[in-house]
Each structure stands twice: as structure tokens, then as C-alpha cells.
Amino acid sequence: MNVLLIGGGGREHALAWKLKQSPLLDALYCAPGNAGIAELANCVALDIEDHAGIIRFCKDTRIGLVVIGPEQPLVAGLTNDLEAAGIKVFGPSRQAAWLEGSKGFTKDLCAAHGIPTAAYARFAEAAPARAYVETQSLPIVIKADGLAAGKGVTIAETVEEAAQAIDACFAGAYGEAGAELVIEEFLAGEEASFFALVDGEMVLPLATAQDHKRAFDGDKGPNTGGMGAYSPAPIMTPALCARVMEEIIAPTAKAMRERGTPFRGVLYAGLMIADGAPKLIEYNVRFGDPEAQVLMLRLQSDLLYALLATAEGRLGKLVLNWHDDAALCVVMAARGYPGAYEKGTEIRGLGEAAADPNVEIFHAGTRAEGDRVLADGGRVLGVTARGKDISEAQTRAYEAVDKIDWPGGFCRRDIGWRAVARGEA
Ligand code: AMP
Ligand code: GLY
């Protein structure tokens, strides 16, 4: 079967790497891809917003499955348009992608179905939002309703800070995504990323993972797309995973089915765990980045078979096997990220760093120029290693990081610290 993968980040490189191992795969195409993906797939410069163009390409190259990596094309309805043209897709419809596309929608769904999450209120104007904040305890969380590339969330410590966030949102700081906002209770605890395949009907959990969202060591500094991840996540005990499935994932799948917008794809629940109980922070409707990098390293089963089973509503018979090994990914980002950063700096030593068979280097924002590899984004590389436990995977990942000669980049030096400190290592 020919497969078209949409996206060009580290997540897509990891998916491409795993898809490439499938006995079901004939040719792999990726749009737009990156310098790392180009070693595994035919990268094609399709315009992701031009759905008719993508459909034409799929017909011309006899694509059997389109796998959509990022959220924007899902929320824009690429799945709907491809399916209407008779092309099979892994990834939810526009209506089901609303679970990520509107935080207010998800909060209302949780409220209607008793799914545990932070208390909240929705607003379309500043004055009532400001008045509401006065009645609540601090800190308080202000969120743009729509897709804001991870930037639409403010944790306000004071009423003034909350008011500023509300005003900025309605003044257009997040464009259309900020036309509405959600104000919610601050949840204390430890975060984890939970993934489940959902085929409209059945739900199947994936291995557990955690990421590090803050830019600097000690989980300090600004929020980012994710500076590193590891799997398994020791906090996610089998009992806790069972609770998440029963209290959060299964009722969500059921609710989406009942409203006539069944969810098919991978549902990513951002969780807060406190006193052993899970609460939903938010949903994403795609694999996490960099969580996909560690999950793909640990997945033993055929990814393409699993994605097809999900798209075709055959999850009931699917069993996924995972390697016992742990995996850990260190993201190397351009200096300045998540703020302004330089593009085009040269990265050397990738071959030497990847020589260890336990290490995979996934490219996120790179481009090739002749035989040189240049940085081409904020998050640039995901140096990923396996080991018998998190501690060994961490050591191997940093050994590889230290072989990479890239003065224009930086990384955190403490990815996995919670898991290592827990003695899981
Ligand atoms: P989100 O985009 O909704 O995942 O929010 C980004 C980050 O903000 C999350 O990963 C959390 O670290 C934090 N966050 C969001 N909502 C809350 C909340 N209600 N309580 C505490 N932290 C939150
Ligand atoms: N790792 C966070 C995300 O993928 O949204």
C-alpha cells in the first residue's frame, strides 16, 4: 500500500520511521517532510490547505491511506474532504477534531458527561470575564478557545494578570482563536500525556508517556511545544490507566458517537494527576510531539496495520505489543526558542551521534543543503534513545546529544528527572 503522511515535524519523522518498517507498505510519501524524513520517504511539496490538490495527488499515486500528523489540517476538515473523495484517512473529521479546536466545546462535553476536569466558564466578552475572575480563587487559568499553537494559555497569579490576559485575548493576540475564551480553575499535580486509538466505537490505550513543556531545566521558563519526553511514565500505574480509560476516554468516545460525530484517530488526553486521581486538562486529536518519538521507539507491533484498523473501525481485534525497554527523547532547539530564533545554522556530527544502535535522531525543523543539514525551525532535533530503564535511555540520549556539534542550538539537561528520581530507573 502507498501511504501519504502529512506534516514535517519530529512527530512525523518518528511516524515515518515506524511506518517504513511495515510489511504492508509499498511507497511512503510525506508532505512537506524535512531533511530527516527525506531519507525514508518521498517528500512532496503539496500545499496542505489545498485539499483538492492533495486529493489529486492521492489519486495519481494510488494512496491507500493518508496519515495526518498535525492538528490544523484536521480542524480544517482535510479528513472530510479526502473521505468524500473515497480516500482512506487516519485522523478525525473536522467535527470530531473540535475536541482540540475548541476548548469550550470540550469543557461542555465533559460537563454534560461527568468527565473529571477543572471547573470552568466560557466568555465571548471581556467585562463578564473580568467580573467572573473577581469571584474566583487564584491562580486562575485563562485560555483562548481555539488553536493557538500552545500559546493561548495564561496561568494568572493575580486579578490584574488575569484581566490583562482577558484583554489581550479579546484584542486579537491569538487572532480568531481568541474570539472566545475559557476561564478555569487551576489544577495542581503532575501532568501526563495519555494516548488511545479510537475507531468511532472501540478504544485502545497506547503505552504511557510524559513530556516536559517548559523551556529550561527544572521545568522553569516559558511553555514550549515540548522539550523532551519519555515512556513509560511511572506515575501512570495500570490502575490509573484503567481509570483514565473508564472515566475520561471511553465516555468521550461514546459522547462523540452519540452526537453523530464519531472520533476516529488517536485521542491525546493531557492529564493532571493529583492524589492518584486523573483530571482532563485538554484534548488533542493527534499524536504528541515529542511523545510520538518515544512511543514509536517502544512500539513492537506494525504501526500501519494499527492505523488502518483504526480508520476501518476494526480496533476490536487489534492487540498492540510494546518493547519492555524505556525510551527517552531530548529535543534540541534553536537558541532563543520559544521566542525569536535564527534559522540556517549548520548542524554537524549527526552521523556519529546516530551510530549507537539504541539511538534514533528524529528531525523536526531541518533542511538539507547539498550534504549539509541546516536548522530550519524552533524545535530542530529529537535525540531519542532506548534503554533497559529511563535512566539508561537518558544516559544514552545525552551521550548522543554531546556528539552533535551545533553551536546554534540548546537543550534541557534534565529530561526524565521525575522518572529517574522516582527510582523507577
Ligand atoms: P493546554 O494548552 O490546555 O494543554 O495548556 C498548556 C499548559 O498549561 C498545560 O500543559 C498545563 O501545564 C497548563 N495548564 C492548562 N490548564 C491548566 C489548569 N487548569 N491548571 C493547571 N495548569 C494548567
Ligand atoms: N507534547 C505536547 C503536544 O504535542 O502538544
Side-chain angles (χ1 to χ4, degrees):
M1 161 180 300
N2 294 341
V3 173
L4 171 64
L5 174 62
I6 304 284
R11 164 184 51 213
E12 287 77 24
H13 190 182
L15 294 174
W17 176 82
K18 190 64 193 167
L19 285 170
K20 194 73 184 170
Q21 297 166 21
S22 171
L24 300 175
L25 184 79
D26 291 318
L28 180 62
Y29 296 87
C30 186
N34 62 38
I37 296 172
E39 292 178 12
L40 301 169
N42 305 307
C43 291
V44 282
L46 297 174
D47 174 0
I48 306 304
E49 289 175 14
D50 174 14
H51 297 186
I54 295 177
I55 290 168
R56 255 194 323 275
F57 176 84
C58 290
K59 298 224 153 146
D60 289 349
T61 41
R62 288 177 294 109
I63 296 294
L65 182 72
V66 178
V67 178
I68 303 178
E71 63 275 17
Q72 298 88 345
L74 295 166
V75 172
L78 180 55
T79 299
N80 305 58
D81 291 340
L82 288 167
E83 285 182 344
I87 298 159
K88 208 169 283 174
V89 186
F90 177 82
S93 68
R94 172 198 290 121
Q95 294 82 355
W98 214 228
L99 284 171
E100 178 163 0
S102 168
K103 293 184 192 291
F105 168 82
T106 294
K107 298 298 286 189
D108 288 351
L109 186 111
C110 289
H113 297 273
I115 296 167
T117 186
Y120 76 108
R122 300 177 71 173
F123 298 95
E125 285 174 58
R130 281 160 160 266
Y132 175 80
V133 166
E134 304 269 357
T135 68
Q136 301 295 306
S137 52
L138 294 165
I140 189 143
V141 186
I142 317 290
K143 297 183 175 183
D145 185 77
L147 292 186
K151 297 194 180 79
V153 176
T154 304
I155 297 177
E157 303 288 343
T158 63
V159 171
E160 294 71 43
E161 225 182 298
Q164 274 172 17
I166 291 166
D167 290 347
C169 193
F170 287 123
Y174 311 111
E176 264 177 51
E180 266 199 52
L181 54 76
V182 171
I183 301 185
E184 62 181 48
E185 167 200 11
F186 175 80
L187 299 175
E190 183 171 338
E191 282 184 62
S193 307
F194 193 91
F195 299 89
L197 296 177
V198 184
D199 71 358
E201 220 33 64
M202 305 293 295
V203 291
L204 181 71
L206 304 186
T208 58
Q210 273 178 300
D211 75 344
H212 292 266
K213 292 216 167 61
R214 304 296 200 96
F216 308 133
D217 284 14
D219 292 319
K220 302 251 166 29
N223 252 318
T224 70
M227 294 301 290
Y230 50 96
S231 173
I235 190 172
M236 296 305 299
T237 60
L240 188 52
C241 290
R243 263 187 89 167
V244 173
M245 289 302 288
E246 192 184 316
E247 297 174 16
I248 298 178
I249 304 290
T252 300
K254 181 161 180 277
M256 293 304 281
R257 193 168 65 242
E258 284 171 359
R259 59 189 298 287
T261 56
F263 185 94
R264 282 189 209 94
V266 59
L267 188 57
Y268 163 1
L271 302 175
M272 190 68 85
I273 315 293
D275 302 324
K279 283 191 177 167
L280 180 73
I281 299 177
E282 62 153 7
Y283 271 131
N284 299 303
V285 297
R286 49 166 177 84
F287 282 105
D289 189 343
E291 291 94 326
Q293 287 84 318
V294 290
L295 291 181
M296 291 307 113
L297 228 61
R298 292 194 60 221
L299 180 62
Q300 198 171 7
S301 304
D302 181 354
L303 176 66
L304 180 49
Y305 186 86
L307 301 186
L308 271 173
T310 308
E312 293 172 351
R314 296 185 286 105
L315 264 191
K317 295 204 181 74
L318 186 72
V319 176
L320 286 180
N321 293 313
W322 300 88
H323 293 292
D324 288 335
D325 286 355
L328 182 137
C329 173
V330 177
V331 169
M332 299 184 76
R335 281 190 196 284
Y337 174 81
Y341 56 81
E342 206 183 320
K343 282 189 180 179
T345 54
E346 186 175 355
I347 305 164
R348 294 193 194 85
L350 286 172
E352 200 193 330
D356 180 343
N358 293 301
V359 171
E360 299 297 333
I361 298 181
F362 295 119
H363 291 222
T366 62
R367 83 190 150 80
E369 202 178 82
D371 48 14
R372 301 193 314 153
V373 174
L374 305 181
D376 197 36
R379 292 190 294 169
V380 172
L381 298 169
V383 180
T384 312
R386 47 175 96 68
K388 66 177 186 306
D389 51 31
I390 301 275
S391 181
E392 189 175 80
Q394 184 193 51
T395 303
R396 286 177 176 159
Y398 281 111
E399 277 169 8
V401 163
D402 290 337
K403 289 180 187 145
I404 295 174
D405 174 14
W406 180 32
F410 79 101
C411 68
R412 281 181 55 164
R413 300 296 312 191
D414 65 345
I415 299 304
W417 68 267
R418 277 181 196 274
V420 172
R422 254 201 184 86
E424 133 80 29

